Amino acid sequence: MTLIGWFQILLYCAIVVALVKPLGWYMTRVFNGERTFLSPVLRPVETALYRIGGVDEKREQHWLTYTVAMLLFHVGGFLIIYSLMRLQALLPLNPAEQSAVAPDLSFNTAISFLTNTNWQNYGGESTLSYLTQMVGLTHQNFLSAATGIALAVALIRGFSRSSMRTIGNFWVDVTRCTLYVLLPICIVYALFLVWQGMPQTLGPYVEATTLEGARQTIAVGPIASQVAIKMLGTNGGGFFNANAAHPFENPTALSNFVQMISIFALGAALTNVFGRMVGNQRQGWAILAVMGVLFLSGVAVTYWAEASGTSTLSSLGLTGGNMEGKEVRFGIVASSLFAVITTAASCGAVNAMHDSFTALGGMIPLLNIQLGEIIVGGVGAGMYGMLLFVVLTIFVAGLMVGRTPEYVGKKIEAREVKMAMLAILILPLMILGWTAVAVVYPAAVASMANAGPHGFTEVLYAFTSATGNNGSAFGGLTGNTLFYNLTLASSMFVGRFFMIVPAMALAGSLAAKKSIPPSAGTLPTTGGLFVGLVVGVILIIGGLTFFPALALGPVVEHLAGNANTLF
């Protein structure tokens, strides 16, 4: 580890924190329907969209109606992506003449992008046409991100409102998020990426002659527009198979740094939106402090592990840390920081191969996802996931002092705790369940390129990433098979929507409650004690996945040795 390395990390954190308040202020105005500096340009577009869609922007929805609208919206998204992939050979904007995508892979990819996971069992430059990349994937990157933010705002309204049956209007929230937040930033962002050297073209792939005289095909395309929302919306799906390690998807150290900032920007700012909407910005800073403690701990461990290298590398005379699987233009610190950011934020983009990290360095990205993707998390998803843990923390604290727990003026009772636990327990169920099946099912085992603990970790990481809607992966696992396409799709679907429905039920329950003023017995929720309690609860509940997974390894290894008796 070096002083300049830590300076980069601290500079990154300082910029993200500096963006929290202005972005939080702006997004609060957007979702409250207040005037912004973009209103003169975008308000006519917004009202026209409502008119075309038959939406009454002043009519709010019950939590159940809000949730059903969200689910129907995603049915449409699934049909668009699936149809484009199956029919792309017949559609325009296909200069590389890509063929139709197989049904199981199309199914997996459609589920992946509408759940904001962006798990990719394919190489984009060798599988998808420009039309599929733009109209299918980039389009859904905007809408899945907008959905996550809208759901977070709906839950925040549950805490901020009193004796109300509604939590907002899904169609209005998604429209405003896309028009006023995501699109303006991405237009400027994409232009910056083009300036840094990222291609943005509809022209055909480039044919080049190498110095040795061989012919080489260089893939290009509408890359900058996809990368901008891929990072800002914490989607993570790359135009290229190598993702952000590819020089066309991440050309310079500056583009790398800005991409890292954009991954955290909106998710961190939502903590300020929460504080503003509940009338106490210190509540938002306390939640951000919880995220910060977990994030900096992960960065410190990963950076130390990668900078220290391994005993095997040292015995070969390779000092200076572990550079395997990392881009020289980024180095160890930027690669380690990126890995922690992308797994803390449910983004899944990678600028280095996590499979090549040291054992301890690779453990942190895995643990980040298993904690529930709430260390900033995906845009919106991280915020509503964190609030579920806050509800459980308040409940535990209430048990400790023998009082009915309350948070920001709302009593936390049995219904709210049940909804929070139901949402959180989905993760270990899917991760551990499918991992156990995969490591003893012969067709799934055949996809593993590595045996032993490392092969097991690759499978565990795959189902962790899918269920956590992250999308990053360890290498060494062939995912484009019928088994993995279907099981990973089911993990992504359950990990997203089976968490959303209880969270929205919680929002409706809270909005209907009366607000009560704090009393002498109310637990302060803006100080260090509360931050420490939330961190502790997150680590304990996160252990519901992590520690059973450690124990699961020897068990499944034994079962795999007797697989013939099981099947």
Side-chain angles (χ1 to χ4, degrees):
M1 293 191 291
T2 64
L3 185 61
I4 189 66
W6 278 109
F7 175 77
Q8 291 180 57
I9 293 170
L10 294 177
L11 177 64
Y12 170 81
C13 294
I15 293 174
V16 169
V17 172
L19 290 172
V20 165
K21 201 163 184 177
L23 280 175
W25 170 82
Y26 176 73
M27 286 196 289
T28 302
R29 293 188 66 85
V30 167
F31 289 107
N32 284 340
E34 300 173 18
R35 185 178 176 85
T36 71
F37 70 97
L38 291 175
S39 295
V41 177
L42 296 179
R43 179 59 183 169
V45 179
E46 181 188 357
T47 54
L49 290 173
Y50 295 150
R51 196 177 304 116
I52 294 170
V55 175
D56 181 0
E57 64 177 302
K58 296 181 179 179
R59 183 178 180 180
E60 293 200 345
Q61 297 169 320
H62 184 267
W63 77 265
L64 189 57
T65 308
Y66 194 102
T67 305
V68 170
M70 179 272 300
L71 293 173
L72 292 175
F73 182 62
H74 282 76
V75 171
F78 172 85
L79 293 175
I80 290 172
I81 301 175
Y82 185 83
S83 299
L84 283 169
M85 297 188 77
R86 295 292 294 135
L87 299 173
Q88 75 174 3
L90 305 175
L91 297 172
L93 294 177
N94 187 8
E97 298 182 351
Q98 307 287 10
S99 60
V101 181
D104 59 320
L105 180 56
S106 297
F107 178 79
N108 178 279
T109 306
I111 295 293
S112 178
F113 276 79
L114 68 88
T115 59
N116 201 250
T117 307
N118 291 28
W119 174 275
Q120 295 174 283
N121 276 337
Y122 61 89
E125 68 270 44
S126 61
T127 307
L128 302 182
S129 68
Y130 291 171
L131 185 70
T132 304
Q133 294 268 28
M134 291 187 299
V135 179
L137 308 190
T138 305
H139 148 263
Q140 197 57 46
N141 281 348
F142 276 96
L143 298 184
S144 64
T147 297
I149 295 173
L151 294 169
V153 171
L155 181 55
I156 292 171
R157 291 190 185 114
F159 283 99
S160 64
R161 293 183 171 185
S162 177
S163 302
M164 292 186 67
R165 293 178 54 82
T166 60
I167 57 172
N169 186 307
F170 174 76
W171 308 111
V172 172
D173 288 341
V174 167
T175 301
R176 286 177 177 167
C177 183
T178 304
L179 273 183
Y180 290 90
V181 180
L182 299 179
L183 268 174
I185 296 175
C186 283
I187 289 172
V188 177
Y189 192 0
L191 291 173
F192 163 79
L193 294 174
V194 170
W195 170 57
Q196 287 296 291
M198 193 174 295
Q200 180 69 20
T201 178
L202 295 178
Y205 289 2
V206 176
E207 296 291 333
T209 303
T210 68
L211 294 176
E212 294 82 8
R215 298 290 295 174
Q216 180 181 4
T217 300
I218 300 176
V220 293
I223 302 166
S225 56
Q226 181 167 325
V227 171
I229 186 58
K230 148 193 163 181
M231 295 301 189
L232 184 69
T234 61
N235 298 279
F239 189 96
F240 296 99
N241 189 40
N243 208 282
H246 195 290
F248 281 177
E249 214 165 307
N250 197 359
T252 67
L254 179 58
S255 73
N256 185 70
F257 192 72
V258 172
Q259 286 185 34
M260 290 192 293
I261 291 172
S262 65
I263 293 172
F264 264 16
L266 297 183
L270 280 169
T271 61
N272 188 256
V273 173
F274 175 78
R276 289 177 185 275
M277 285 191 169
V278 300
N280 184 353
Q281 291 189 47
R282 292 182 65 191
Q283 299 289 352
W285 290 115
I287 292 176
L288 186 62
V290 174
M291 297 174 174
V293 169
L294 294 169
F295 171 68
L296 288 173
S297 300
V299 170
V301 172
T302 303
Y303 182 30
W304 174 82
E306 297 306 303
S308 300
T310 65
S311 57
T312 302
L313 289 173
S314 299
S315 67
L316 296 173
L318 301 174
T319 58
N322 174 34
M323 275 298 294
E324 182 189 350
K326 299 178 178 64
E327 290 294 304
V328 176
R329 67 185 188 277
F330 302 139
I332 289 175
V333 61
S335 300
S336 301
L337 181 59
F338 198 110
V340 178
I341 292 167
T342 196
T343 52
S346 182
C347 180
V350 295
N351 74 347
M353 299 303 104
H354 296 179
D355 195 45
S356 296
F357 277 33
T358 61
L360 192 57
M363 182 191 76
I364 296 301
L366 179 64
L367 180 59
N368 282 346
I369 306 172
Q370 291 181 349
L371 290 179
E373 296 280 54
I374 41 75
I375 310 172
V376 177
V379 283
M383 188 63 204
Y384 63 69
M386 176 60 79
L387 288 174
L388 295 175
F389 279 101
V390 168
V391 167
L392 294 180
T393 302
I394 293 296
F395 173 69
V396 171
L399 291 178
M400 293 169 65
V401 298
R403 283 178 52 92
T404 300
E406 55 190 72
Y407 181 60
V408 293
K410 294 296 179 73
K411 286 190 176 295
I412 305 300
E413 298 174 304
R415 176 179 170 82
E416 289 76 40
V417 175
K418 289 176 182 177
M419 290 300 103
M421 282 305 303
L422 182 61
I424 290 171
L425 288 175
I426 288 298
L427 273 71
L429 175 65
M430 296 303 294
I431 293 170
L432 297 175
W434 280 125
T435 300
V437 172
V439 293
V440 296
Y441 181 51
V445 173
S447 293
M448 297 166 58
N450 297 289
H454 195 72
F456 170 75
T457 303
E458 290 169 352
V459 175
L460 176 65
Y461 194 103
F463 286 106
T464 298
S465 178
T467 306
N469 300 138
N470 183 269
S472 64
F474 269 28
L477 180 69
T478 302
N480 189 16
T481 66
L482 181 63
F483 174 83
Y484 281 110
N485 278 331
L486 296 182
T487 56
L488 289 170
S490 72
S491 298
M492 291 183 280
F493 183 87
V494 171
R496 177 76 162 180
F497 297 112
F498 280 49
M499 188 175 185
I500 285 174
V501 174
M504 291 302 97
L506 175 63
S509 176
L510 291 170
K513 290 176 178 285
K514 294 181 179 179
S515 293
I516 56 175
S519 64
T522 301
L523 173 70
T525 54
T526 58
L529 175 61
F530 176 72
V531 170
L533 280 172
V534 178
V535 170
V537 168
I538 290 171
L539 292 176
I540 291 170
I541 296 179
L544 292 175
T545 302
F546 185 72
F547 292 110
L550 293 181
L552 186 62
V555 173
V556 297
E557 187 173 356
H558 170 73
L559 293 176
N562 299 281
N564 291 333
T565 65
L566 298 176
F567 297 93

